[in-house]
Amino acid sequence: MLAITVHLTTVRRAEESRRDESAGPYFDLTSVWTFAAAIVLPPGMAVLVAVWLRIVLWPIARRQPYRFVFTSAHIVASTLLANAAVHLSGFSLGASGRVLTDLALLGVLVLVAALYWFVQVLLMTVALKIVNPQTRFVDSLGTRNDNMLEMTTLGVGAMLGLLVATHWVAPLLLVLPVILVNALLHRASERQAHLERLVAEQHKAHLQLTKDAHTDYRTGLFNTNGLNEHGGRLTERSKHDGKPVTVLAIDLDHFKRINDTWGHPAGNAVLAEVGRILREKLRPGDVAGRDGGEEFVVVLADTGLAQGTAIAERVREAIGEMSVVTTDKHRNTVTLRGRNLPLTEDGPEVRAISASIGVAVVPDNGDSLPAAQHSADAALYTAKENGRNQVRVAGIDIHAHRLPAPRVDEPEITRSA
């Protein structure tokens, strides 16, 4: 009893830390004492040792009373069964001087240790099944390291039992080694937890760097690298599945005029709003990116020409109906409006935002993303040359009734601060 009390009192903080860090079943070193008591003491004394151990362990456990009582009960049960098995075997723990007898005793102790372990695991599984019916038997086994620790503990417990059979002072001699083992386990668990935190932080940093390397921070869309990687992957996968891919090349009309007239913060606000519109209008499987300046590229998965053109029209209309509240060069509030919105005389609203869009399809306009993007760019230039704020398809003259007639942009509006 004294050895148990000294051991558990000394290692209390270390055991609390190990228990808190354990993600599954928790394995401690108390089997040294309970298993030794099971194989050497009478049944009543063995139960008393197990009960005293649990009483001393209560401040460390910090579990709900019903869980603590059940755990204590299955430890007492496994101790009693191991005790009964040893006594039924008829072997004496004292040295016999005969090799075969001592080897037979060793075999009995191994079987009893296995019985002790199995009963605890079985009862633990029953308890977990009651709390959560989905629990599997393997969930109660613990990790390989946990079970190696338990086997080592049971082995030390068997040696302690053999020593106690001939020398009563053995438990006191074993207290220091067991405490040192606890300290080593505590340090090992702290180092493992530290390494796991470092690995988690490195993984998080890696994910963030990867995201930053592929994301345009102004719009939240992919940048050129991300567009080429994810858009290329989507295109190759669609080609493999025999499905078409539509590529949209989008360019904001007279974007330089926005920067020159109202300043770069205003232009950045327009870019951010276009990014929001693209994320809102596109489907989850599509890829959208800013390909530098005021140019955007969209890759539409499993999309033919008709559907791709319809999506391009929706995007063009949404951009042409934007209203972006921002500031001008003099930090005055200004609302930049899409060119599809009607003119207003009230307030500083200015129609300045529209987009021209070129459409190309893989494989009709090329068998790869770069080839289709080149064709979409050519269609985009055609849209620019024919008045801007319209959609054009690569290699096709779209009839006038499908798109707004070419128009000339309104004269540049000058405003005073």
Side-chain angles (χ1 to χ4, degrees), residues 258 262 266 270 322-326 334-338 350 352-353:
I258 294 176
W262 292 282
V270 171
M322 285 170 46
S323 290
V324 181
V325 180
T326 182
V334 60
T335 300
L336 302 182
R337 291 163 51 84
V350 179
I353 307 170

Side-chain angles (χ1 to χ4, degrees), residues 241-417:
D241 295 338
K243 297 177 180 178
V245 173
T246 295
V247 179
L248 309 182
I250 305 170
D251 187 88
L252 298 181
D253 299 327
H254 297 302
F255 185 75
K256 184 176 183 299
R257 182 183 300 173
I258 294 176
N259 284 331
D260 292 344
T261 305
W262 292 282
H264 288 284
N268 292 338
V270 171
L271 292 174
E273 184 65 11
V274 172
R276 185 194 66 78
I277 286 176
L278 290 178
R279 291 194 302 272
E280 181 182 282
K281 295 295 181 182
L282 300 180
R283 302 162 300 184
D286 298 330
V287 173
R290 180 185 174 201
D291 198 24
E294 67 273 21
E295 299 175 5
F296 298 83
V297 175
V298 174
V299 185
L300 302 171
D302 190 17
T303 304
L305 177 61
Q307 186 181 6
T309 305
I311 294 174
E313 271 298 320
R314 288 201 297 269
V315 170
R316 184 195 65 81
E317 291 172 0
I319 293 174
E321 294 172 359
M322 285 170 46
S323 290
V324 181
V325 180
T326 182
T327 56
D328 62 12
K329 297 177 180 178
H330 307 287
R331 298 186 179 180
N332 297 316
T333 300
V334 60
T335 300
L336 302 182
R337 291 163 51 84
R339 289 191 172 91
N340 294 347
L341 296 175
L343 287 170
T344 60
E345 297 179 357
D346 299 330
E349 298 175 340
V350 179
R351 296 199 305 173
I353 307 170
S354 65
S356 300
I357 303 178
V359 181
V361 180
V362 178
D364 299 344
N365 302 111
D367 61 353
S368 65
L369 176 60
Q373 189 175 343
H374 182 75
S375 297
D377 284 336
L380 170 63
Y381 295 140
T382 301
K384 293 280 190 182
E385 293 167 356
N386 283 271
R388 295 182 171 82
N389 194 20
Q390 58 184 262
V391 174
R392 289 283 178 171
V393 176
I396 297 179
D397 243 348
I398 300 180
H399 297 296
H401 69 273
R402 294 189 58 186
L403 291 173
R407 54 178 293 171
V408 178
D409 289 321
E410 297 83 1
E412 184 175 340
I413 301 175
T414 305
R415 61 181 297 275
S416 59

